[in-house]
Amino acid sequence: MKTTGISKGFFLFSAIYFGILILLKPWEALFSDQFLKYHQAYSMFQSGFSTENLIYPSLDLDPSYSYFLWKAPMVFQIGDRMIGQYPIFLTLLIAPFLVFSWVPIVSILMGIFNLISAFILRRFWDLSWFWLAFTFFGTYIFLMGPELSEHPPLLLLELLGLTFFYKTEDRISNKLIGGIFLGLGVWLRLEVLIFFVVFWAGGWIAFGKDWWKKSFWFSVSFSVVVLLLFLFHTLDYQHPIGPRYFQNFNTGEDQGTVLSRAFTILIGTYSMPGLLIYLPILLPLLYFFVKKSKEGKIEASFYHLGISAYVFIILIAFLAPNDGVSNWGPRYVGLALIPFVLVLKEVAEISEWKLGRSGKNLTFSILLIYSFGMTLVGFVNYQRSSKEIRSIRSIYVDSQASSLLFLDDVLCGSIGPSYFQKRVLCIHNETSSQGMDHIVSFLSKKHPGEKVGFISYSDAVVEYAAKLPESNNILMHKYRMKVLAEAEIRPVWLELFGHAWKEKEVKTKGLWEYREYEIPKD
């Protein structure tokens, strides 16, 4: 294994990477899944690493978690603990860095994980700067949760495992270390198990009878680490699969058919490109990979990687519990991205493909540039989503209210890290007069003289919902019904607040409205 130092070129690559990160400002877009991951880490840090129980500033008012920011299957309750569904290993990786009390640190940490992977690819797999750029910006690796995600450390662990397996001396210690790294990946995402099964089975094809000896200690250490995970899950969550079981397999929600999920992962939907739409070069690559393999021109290690990657994406497409639509690119097959790039580079060099304007080189160039273009579209899409979140927050970000009541779950989810500085109640499901009265009377009694902010859609949302085009899309229909239901209950809340508190301020921005009330001291 080569151990040369960090070059000026790598510093430049790192500067460009962080320049793009600063341009996107992903830490300002902590929302939904990513914010729950932050919530888990923040709670772990604030507890002194003693519990996974999620912090809920309004627990005294709402001991039943009726107005909690998160609902099942995002969270689940064991005893008196309310636990997030994301892996504790990710929580433990992030939590120590929260000592800096600086939200962007989590995005910087994700960038560091990716840059360590870039360093390994450059030094130990001989990737040129072009192929390094393609790895992170020609695929969707950069876009898999730049704000906060398990994918950067996951891909690093995968790469470390593969590097120790392929690129070190054939010693027991190296195989053990490689298996440990890949096994730790299971502590982040369960699809590593599928990848390992495919990797192990593919080894018999690539290496023949030598595979048993070559993979034995790697497999042993991997299995031990995974068994430890199952044991921990059983003891802590009463189920060997742990939080992923509750989130993915026990939701009671319609996740579509197996074929529809596979289609979304491999091809895509109107809102997200699938793997083959994002990286169409994988189709001709398969042909030339098989052709060059039959000619004996591909090394066994790359032959093994290629078999593993292609079989993995097919298996995971049909085994995934849902389609994974929340990123620009299907996250469930993310483990195949680095192997695909390594195989693509190998086949391109064997076939003497280069960036150019003639013949096969033109096709090669167009396909690569197209994938870079898909990432650029992903940047634009990400910025648009981030802008939307910032726009929602802008209506209440300067609020002096100590309590914020949200009449919509999306509006409530936009709160971000401010959630820990205020009493936040997501009251979109509360329609009973008893529940409404309880909230108002509790705040009036416990917080006299303080201000309360009420965030909802404005009157304009009814007209907006009416103009939404008719659609057979279930999600669109649910959205329309939800908006209209909230518009119907909103006047009830306003009347209740008007009787109990003094209205101080009303701000409207587009479809959103912020009303501020002051609780009388008497």
Side-chain angles (χ1 to χ4, degrees):
M1 180 182 285
K2 296 188 294 184
T3 56
T4 52
I6 299 176
S7 67
K8 292 180 181 179
F10 190 79
F11 278 114
L12 178 61
F13 181 85
S14 301
I16 293 172
Y17 185 100
F18 279 117
I20 296 172
L21 199 67
I22 292 170
L23 181 65
L24 286 182
K25 297 181 180 178
W27 51 85
E28 294 184 358
L30 284 172
F31 179 75
S32 187
D33 296 21
Q34 288 72 31
F35 182 52
L36 177 53
K37 294 166 189 175
Y38 185 90
H39 193 167
Q40 289 182 211
Y42 183 86
S43 300
M44 178 70 77
F45 177 74
Q46 291 296 322
S47 74
F49 297 87
S50 63
T51 179
E52 297 173 70
N53 191 44
L54 294 172
I55 289 176
Y56 183 26
S58 298
L59 189 61
D60 55 344
L61 184 157
D62 180 31
S64 63
Y65 290 89
S66 298
Y67 314 125
F68 193 38
L69 177 59
W70 311 109
K71 304 296 182 187
M74 299 287 282
V75 295
F76 58 98
Q77 197 161 5
I78 297 180
D80 60 351
R81 295 183 302 161
M82 184 63 75
I83 299 173
Q85 57 104 352
Y86 290 105
I88 189 174
F89 186 34
L90 177 66
T91 299
L92 291 173
L93 284 175
I94 299 166
F97 294 90
L98 300 187
V99 69
F100 296 104
S101 299
W102 188 48
V103 175
I105 193 67
V106 295
S107 298
I108 292 173
L109 183 61
M110 297 302 104
I112 290 173
F113 284 134
N114 275 343
L115 287 173
I116 294 174
S117 294
F119 177 79
I120 294 171
L121 288 168
R122 174 69 177 169
R123 294 305 183 193
F124 307 135
W125 293 85
D126 297 319
L127 260 65
S128 66
W129 294 117
F130 171 80
W131 284 114
L132 207 58
F134 184 80
T135 301
F136 293 94
F137 303 111
T139 75
Y140 51 91
I141 288 178
F142 178 89
L143 291 171
M144 282 200 293
E147 59 281 271
L148 176 55
S149 171
E150 63 271 28
H151 283 95
L154 172 66
L155 296 187
L156 173 58
L157 289 171
E158 177 199 28
L159 183 57
L160 285 168
L162 296 177
T163 302
F164 271 93
F165 185 83
Y166 291 122
K167 296 295 183 178
T168 61
E169 295 179 13
D170 192 12
R171 297 192 314 208
I172 292 176
S173 59
N174 288 331
K175 296 298 188 286
L176 287 171
I177 293 171
I180 289 171
F181 278 128
L182 189 61
L184 285 173
V186 183
W187 286 66
L188 290 172
R189 289 189 71 91
L190 292 176
E191 56 261 35
V192 180
L193 285 172
I194 307 298
F195 181 83
F196 175 78
V197 170
V198 173
F199 179 84
W200 190 83
W204 291 101
I205 300 173
F207 296 98
K209 62 182 180 180
D210 295 331
W211 177 244
W212 177 256
K213 180 180 179 181
K214 185 176 182 66
S215 67
F216 179 78
W217 291 110
F218 183 87
S219 302
V220 167
S221 59
F222 175 88
S223 300
V224 169
V225 173
V226 173
L227 287 174
L228 288 174
L229 172 66
F230 289 163
L231 177 62
F232 169 77
H233 280 170
T234 302
L235 294 175
D236 200 39
Y237 309 121
Q238 287 79 61
H239 195 286
I241 298 181
R244 288 298 187 186
Y245 169 78
F246 299 99
Q247 198 274 338
N248 287 328
F249 300 99
N250 199 31
T251 65
E253 297 179 359
D254 180 14
Q255 299 293 349
T257 65
V258 172
L259 286 176
S260 68
R261 295 198 298 269
F263 183 87
T264 299
I265 290 170
L266 295 177
I267 306 301
T269 68
Y270 70 94
S271 62
M272 184 197 77
L275 180 67
L276 299 180
I277 295 297
Y278 204 113
L279 292 162
I281 198 170
L282 296 182
L283 292 175
L285 173 63
L286 177 60
Y287 170 79
F288 286 101
F289 171 72
V290 173
K291 183 175 183 290
K292 298 301 179 182
S293 297
K294 288 181 178 179
E295 295 172 357
K297 295 182 178 180
I298 295 182
E299 291 182 20
S301 58
F302 291 103
Y303 181 47
H304 185 205
L305 277 176
I307 293 172
S308 301
Y310 276 108
V311 175
F312 172 75
I313 65 171
I314 298 300
L315 278 181
I316 206 68
F318 286 93
L319 293 175
N322 55 66
D323 57 28
V325 176
S326 64
N327 299 86
W328 186 253
R331 64 182 186 272
Y332 278 114
V333 291
L335 283 169
L337 294 177
I338 288 178
F340 273 138
V341 172
L342 295 174
V343 173
L344 177 58
K345 169 184 174 291
E346 179 74 2
V347 172
E349 290 179 351
I350 292 171
S351 304
E352 298 183 343
W353 297 340
K354 298 179 181 179
L355 295 177
R357 295 182 294 178
S358 61
K360 61 184 180 180
N361 289 335
L362 177 60
T363 303
F364 176 67
S365 302
I366 289 174
L367 290 173
L368 293 184
I369 293 171
Y370 165 86
S371 293
F372 278 112
M374 288 298 292
T375 300
L376 182 60
V377 174
F379 286 157
V380 174
N381 183 64
Y382 188 92
Q383 283 192 311
R384 183 169 59 246
S385 299
S386 299
K387 183 179 179 180
E388 184 78 3
I389 294 171
R390 288 193 293 268
S391 180
I392 294 173
R393 287 178 184 166
S394 67
I395 199 168
Y396 62 82
V397 68
D398 297 323
S399 171
Q400 299 301 310
S402 58
S403 300
L404 295 177
L405 311 182
F406 289 85
L407 191 57
D408 181 84
D409 55 340
V410 174
L411 297 179
C412 196
S414 71
I415 184 69
S418 299
Y419 181 81
F420 308 112
Q421 280 74 56
K422 297 179 182 291
R423 180 189 291 277
V424 175
L425 298 174
C426 304
I427 58 174
H428 52 280
N429 287 328
E430 184 56 81
T431 58
S432 70
S433 58
Q434 183 179 1
M436 295 178 177
D437 290 338
H438 170 67
I439 293 173
V440 173
S441 61
F442 184 96
L443 293 177
S444 297
K445 181 179 180 181
K446 296 290 185 179
H447 302 281
E450 295 186 9
K451 294 179 180 179
V452 177
F454 178 65
I455 300 96
S456 68
Y457 284 110
S458 66
D459 292 331
V461 79
V462 177
E463 182 180 351
Y464 169 77
K467 290 181 179 179
L468 287 175
E470 292 295 333
S471 172
N472 293 326
N473 186 284
I474 295 175
L475 293 178
M476 180 65 74
H477 178 71
K478 286 184 176 179
Y479 174 72
R480 183 199 298 268
M481 294 299 101
K482 178 177 74 74
V483 167
L484 293 176
E486 291 169 359
E488 186 176 345
I489 196 67
R490 177 170 164 270
V492 181
W493 281 106
L494 295 180
E495 183 178 0
L496 184 62
F497 296 150
H499 285 308
W501 305 328
K502 182 179 180 181
E503 187 173 275
K504 301 290 290 184
E505 180 184 6
V506 179
K507 290 194 299 184
T508 301
K509 183 175 182 180
L511 296 177
W512 310 302
E513 181 181 270
Y514 173 81
R515 290 176 181 260
E516 190 169 277
Y517 298 87
E518 185 175 334
I519 302 174
K521 294 183 179 180
D522 298 330

